[in-house]
Amino acid sequence: MLGLGKMGPRRRHGIEPTLAGVDGVPTPTPEDRFTFGLWTVGNRGRDPFGHEVRPPLDPVEAVHRLAELGAYGVNFHDDDLVPPGSSAAGRASILGRFRRALDATGMKVPMATTNLFSHPVFKEGAFTANDPAVRRYALAKTLDAIELGVELGAGVYVMWGGREGTECDAAKDVRLALDRYKEAVDLCCAHVRDRGYDLRFALEPKPNEPRGNLLLPTVGHALAFVERLEWPEMVGINPEFAHETMSGLSFHQAVAQVLWAGKLFHVDLNGQVPGKFDQDFRFASEGLKDAFHLVRLLEEARWDGMRHFDAHAYRTEDADGVWEFARGCMRSYLILREKARRFAADPEIAAALDEAMAGRIAEPTSPGGHAPDAIAAIRRGPHDPDGLGARGYGHERLDQLVTELLLGVR
Amino acid sequence: MLGLGKMGPRRRHGIEPTLAGVDGVPTPTPEDRFTFGLWTVGNRGRDPFGHEVRPPLDPVEAVHRLAELGAYGVNFHDDDLVPPGSSAAGRASILGRFRRALDATGMKVPMATTNLFSHPVFKEGAFTANDPAVRRYALAKTLDAIELGVELGAGVYVMWGGREGTECDAAKDVRLALDRYKEAVDLCCAHVRDRGYDLRFALEPKPNEPRGNLLLPTVGHALAFVERLEWPEMVGINPEFAHETMSGLSFHQAVAQVLWAGKLFHVDLNGQVPGKFDQDFRFASEGLKDAFHLVRLLEEARWDGMRHFDAHAYRTEDADGVWEFARGCMRSYLILREKARRFAADPEIAAALDEAMAGRIAEPTSPGGHAPDAIAAIRRGPHDPDGLGARGYGHERLDQLVTELLLGVR
Amino acid sequence: MLGLGKMGPRRRHGIEPTLAGVDGVPTPTPEDRFTFGLWTVGNRGRDPFGHEVRPPLDPVEAVHRLAELGAYGVNFHDDDLVPPGSSAAGRASILGRFRRALDATGMKVPMATTNLFSHPVFKEGAFTANDPAVRRYALAKTLDAIELGVELGAGVYVMWGGREGTECDAAKDVRLALDRYKEAVDLCCAHVRDRGYDLRFALEPKPNEPRGNLLLPTVGHALAFVERLEWPEMVGINPEFAHETMSGLSFHQAVAQVLWAGKLFHVDLNGQVPGKFDQDFRFASEGLKDAFHLVRLLEEARWDGMRHFDAHAYRTEDADGVWEFARGCMRSYLILREKARRFAADPEIAAALDEAMAGRIAEPTSPGGHAPDAIAAIRRGPHDPDGLGARGYGHERLDQLVTELLLGVR
Amino acid sequence: MLGLGKMGPRRRHGIEPTLAGVDGVPTPTPEDRFTFGLWTVGNRGRDPFGHEVRPPLDPVEAVHRLAELGAYGVNFHDDDLVPPGSSAAGRASILGRFRRALDATGMKVPMATTNLFSHPVFKEGAFTANDPAVRRYALAKTLDAIELGVELGAGVYVMWGGREGTECDAAKDVRLALDRYKEAVDLCCAHVRDRGYDLRFALEPKPNEPRGNLLLPTVGHALAFVERLEWPEMVGINPEFAHETMSGLSFHQAVAQVLWAGKLFHVDLNGQVPGKFDQDFRFASEGLKDAFHLVRLLEEARWDGMRHFDAHAYRTEDADGVWEFARGCMRSYLILREKARRFAADPEIAAALDEAMAGRIAEPTSPGGHAPDAIAAIRRGPHDPDGLGARGYGHERLDQLVTELLLGVR
């Protein structure tokens, strides 16, 4: 009989072991640094062709439910927590209730952000709108939201420029738009410096949707943009699985470049199929192999920031489905983390990595550095391209071992 | 301690268990109906930017090695086995050696096909070339290859129209091209009928590459085309994982439609990422979830035809890597087949399927059929859209159970 | 001085010539058979990340404005015209007003359709919902909408199965879902036959969005499905530019196959970039070359049905922008139609087509048909693959001529 | 009568006006800075499924033919000009002949590059191969090719890392691979500095093909990478239309960001459809609108570098088709350049740009800069989001004007 998984009381008793770890999957805890947006568990299932299917979710309930499930914290856009147009008293009351929920549960608000995309005012852009009045309003709204975030203890401020883009390319001078984008980020940094806040910014790239083409469409474009800012050290990246995958790019490879550049300030996890609309599915429900390599990378890099799930339940779900969704995101991360540990410990995988010479990428090409004679020596050789080219690297075996590790047969 | 996979002598002894099934994965046998193309294990690693990296593989060696690995048979394009320009004596000698290998191993040749794409003569098309002389040559070459296939016992003839397409759309009248495509397939059918062969045809769709756009780009377009043939009962489909996935379409859903139409005559398995060049990677190395649903579908449908791997080893591999590749394709199929069995037996999955009302899709919408009063009764109702719309379907839970089944934690 | 376009009073006077044809572009007239959906000009600019930006548009105003612009008619989903939940009196009043607008303008309602996607009841499917009660409601709603359409003179009924699909593949048995899909279409046909209506159905395929994967994802899959219906002669296809293009497929090639199969019952025109969300941009604003070949095809095939624009104005637009959008769709079609005429008349293009042997695709491959000796003669040859392969087809020149025709320099 | 294009002796006489400019399209001249790779016009039509269809092209003939067509220069990979394994004498003889062709025609070699992708030695990577011996050979080959390039006057050295990537992600530590990539580029820069050459480097990003995923997959990723180099001022970008478009990204927007960063060192022009294999079609044969905005951008930015066509003739073509291809690339650029001039001069377009507030993107958001009170003033407002959100931007009209400009009716 073939035992692909593992046996346990789970199957015999039919009990629900998810939170108890009876099936061997660890129960999420705050130490795992899992966070959700209020807008994710609060997503009501509206889509371009359909109305809302779920009732509004009280942020306070979200805090309690997520705490029970083992999350570390919640994040929000300004409007998610305090409805636009609230009075000062209304705002204070909302914040008071919300803070009490945080205090009661120990939940944190590690990240905050601004909704610069829903209101018609932003239809032509926010930080890069042609109209300076729109840009000023976008900046003011952001500054207010920074205050709100700082008030609640956020250490990272995410900027997703969901309306910074075009359908009609003639209408936007891209180089000037990048000037304005830089100006806006610089102004936010200046404000934070003036106030002495301990807050860093993370740009979240996306290739398209809702605009035909968005500025800073990939992790790379955003990383490059940061280098032209006034205070580049204050600004990093918030890569999102779905956004990079929409363009058919490797997400874990993108995150690796962000880490390499010292710019991973936050990360958004979800599921997505390449070349489709922004799906924001449950983490690891699509793109399982890339998700595994991502988790392996984050754990190997000892990433100590948040694992934020920017996703939502399918529209087929009622409220119960929302919590299954949240639980599933965390479980899959923990299962993949365990597989990453096994990857590191598996002797056959280690042998295959040796066969692939994986460790030798750490050796310098030029042990003598940039010195002219070191370079000359390399140029001189001798070189044996035909001999080197005859070697096999055993990638089929290695990749199959990874596949079988994923499938639980090793 | 978390046991995501299973324990066994495998790890303790460090032995290679693949063929012995020591690790619980069944050893492939001919009953599993696994086949490979000579061009797959014989692929030499040439790509648009690189030269060949592996030496030619003798078809006789391919037969022996694949037999040892547990395959059922091998398939080939005419030119794979008998090099173009071979003399009659040369051809006879090649065939004799090849037959002896088949006899010695018990390997079969269940499918044959024609290379209508490599030679410059086909650059503007083969069955749909504008030049009638090219079309006639393509037909003649196909008829010769049919004879060769029949001689070796093939029961299915695959037609992949790799050059039937355009870059310059003005140059091709698509409707007339479909006339010519139909004519060519009809002529092949006529020939088979005249000869009394027991041979069926399977069209293999592909969206693009090597042409900018190919005719019959998806499983659907090919299925529809079959209905306009002279003898539609003789012609079915050979869906390929990579080809449908290149367009971002669900492969298992496409195969389900082919089965529904009674037209699954062959199936090509491999791995592919959407929106990229034709990768032809090892089966299940990409698209794991779709691969699982495909295997589940084929097994539930009791598909008794071939599981043909139309894939090749990475260019990083030497000859050993080729056999690891072949072994990996079969192992992954068998692992997924076992998971399909578990899916059917898992009580929590069964409960989640009930919650999703999955079984009720079998119930007719109109128990009274097309009768006017049956229709009128449905129209009258009563209907309760708001009540029905409030229900949740539990898809997050169900999909997570499938994910965890795939990951080997259940 | 380079004259790429044409001179005229237009530029000298700065007048707006669109409707007068002063700039040489014909003014749209009802003879051109242009139609719009009420939902297209009535689109309020809501998207997955943004609220409505435009006020509701009164269907009666839509009729008058489109009539002024030269359209032939308007189409609608049931809910577009009669809000769900309207009383019988309310419905009658709405219909009365709408009919008067039609009468006053001469506008027609050539097509009707049902909204089976907005209400939560359809979240798991409509015709293919697992729950038979949902399917019955979907059928009832469709039958009501058929009555409404027939009442207003529609000759074509479009079926877009926007919720017939999955995210969680385990939840849906695709083969049974196709049984149910067929059952629903058959029931609609039965109803139309019972009533003796002169109404045909057109299936509209789409690959994904709002569901992760939709059933009948391409023109091909829908065409193939029709062949398994009870009354296939009553059902054809409504191909849409954006939907086929989302999958990276050639739209004009798809329409050519639909025409070849005798199944073009309607056509939806718009603009779309491959591999992105469903953009529904103004016709010819993206995919200009494919749009040209499409128009050329429709005109050469003497397509006498509707040219329906299923698109909407960018979210940046106010009400004026909506009418510019509508005008632009029609103008681009007429400009491309004129270019199609020039294509047919251009002697250099004719010479290049000869060089490409474009006309010879009309010659049968086997002048002797299926007769065994005709086939044998073709098989025998002689064949000269090397000689034929040395020929060039002049596609670079031909395609550049087309490009320059499009660019207006010939 | 509708005059969509322009009249002239061309049509009346049926003469070939391309080189004479009789049809109003300027004849290319060296001032236009058009260059081609030896590998582009020398492409023999081999593809993943087909053999070569064209004979080898003598580089000397390429120089003469391109000079006749009006090109400014030719570029090459080391192996394109000097076959691998050539003796010193053979090399000298080849170079002598080639130089004489350059001298005779006035053609330049503005760019050079290295083939680090064809030989099996590079199958696992070149600068980022796991094996240090491979990396050293790649470096040595590059240094030799730099010498060759400098010898022939090249001022830009393009680096395309066609093998720097993975299929089996486990085999490559991406962060260490980026270390090695940086090391290799730094070593090349060190060599150039040591020698005192006037040579800059341009990185050419590509998302995939021939590897499953490539490092530095987009313009953005490459731009960001440059910032971590030892001498970032020596290294810029060579964006390629096809490569960015494969990922579905806007090419002209990417080039705008490169210009904004001061890093446009070279540009590769061709045609490509999103989400497909690397097509390298004739410039502007696909993606016409993006091509127009690109040309407009390059001309507005007064780009004084090369317009390099990295494309090749369709496989349907013989040698004549190759020169039609080359001619078409240049003609389309010149036609689009003329349209860019018209765009700038057209009063209706200017009015639509005003309506879109296109010019106001140049105004700072914060006229008072980063000063705290300037920021506070913006935060204070007043703001009128509802009023600003009610405005329309006239993008439908503007985009239609651009479309009609492209179509030659204005």
Side-chain angles (χ1 to χ4, degrees), chain B residues 363-382:
Chain B
E363 295 177 27
T365 303
S366 176
H370 300 157
D373 51 357
I375 295 174
I378 289 173
R379 192 173 167 206
R380 242 185 344 259

Side-chain angles (χ1 to χ4, degrees), chain B residues 52-239:
Chain B
E52 287 80 355
V53 296
R54 291 184 287 264
L57 175 68
D58 181 348
V60 165
E61 185 187 350
V63 169
H64 282 283
R65 295 296 297 261
L66 289 170
E68 284 163 25
L69 290 172
Y72 173 85
V74 290
N75 305 316
F76 55 83
H77 301 91
D78 48 355
D79 302 345
D80 299 334
L81 183 60
V82 183
S86 299
S87 66
R91 182 181 186 279
S93 156
I94 288 168
L95 283 183
R97 261 190 92 227
F98 189 69
R99 262 179 198 290
R100 284 191 294 277
L102 296 175
D103 291 345
T105 57
M107 291 275 279
K108 308 295 182 204
V109 178
M111 180 270 271
T113 185
T114 323
N115 183 326
L116 296 179
F117 43 86
S118 294
H119 192 284
V121 66
F122 301 123
K123 64 189 172 189
E124 201 272 326
F127 288 162
T128 66
N130 284 345
D131 186 344
V134 172
R135 283 184 258 131
R136 284 169 199 141
Y137 174 64
L139 183 67
K141 191 170 192 292
T142 302
L143 297 174
D144 287 350
I146 286 173
E147 296 297 320
L148 176 60
V150 169
E151 203 177 326
L152 288 163
V156 175
Y157 206 84
V158 165
M159 288 176 160
W160 174 55
R163 298 285 169 195
E164 321 295 2
T166 56
E167 294 83 27
C168 166
D169 290 315
K172 188 70 68 183
D173 184 305
V174 173
R175 289 176 294 164
L176 290 172
L178 291 171
D179 281 345
R180 294 289 80 74
Y181 217 150
K182 168 178 152 54
E183 185 188 12
V185 179
D186 286 346
L187 287 164
C188 291
C189 289
H191 176 79
V192 163
R193 293 166 63 90
D194 292 341
R195 300 289 174 111
Y197 294 151
D198 183 19
L199 188 73
R200 298 192 301 172
F201 295 91
L203 301 176
E204 179 177 322
K206 188 177 182 186
N208 64 266
E209 193 191 337
R211 304 304 303 269
N213 285 296
L214 288 167
L215 295 173
L216 309 183
T218 76
V219 156
H221 295 78
L223 261 184
F225 172 78
V226 167
E227 300 292 331
R228 293 291 181 275
L229 296 175
E230 191 70 23
W231 296 282
E233 68 281 5
M234 294 179 68
V235 185
I237 308 295
N238 176 38

Side-chain angles (χ1 to χ4, degrees), chain C residues 368-392:
Chain C
H370 300 158
D373 52 356
I375 295 175
I378 289 174
R379 191 172 169 209
R380 243 186 343 261
H383 300 289
D384 178 21
D386 292 341
L388 293 168
R391 201 184 182 293

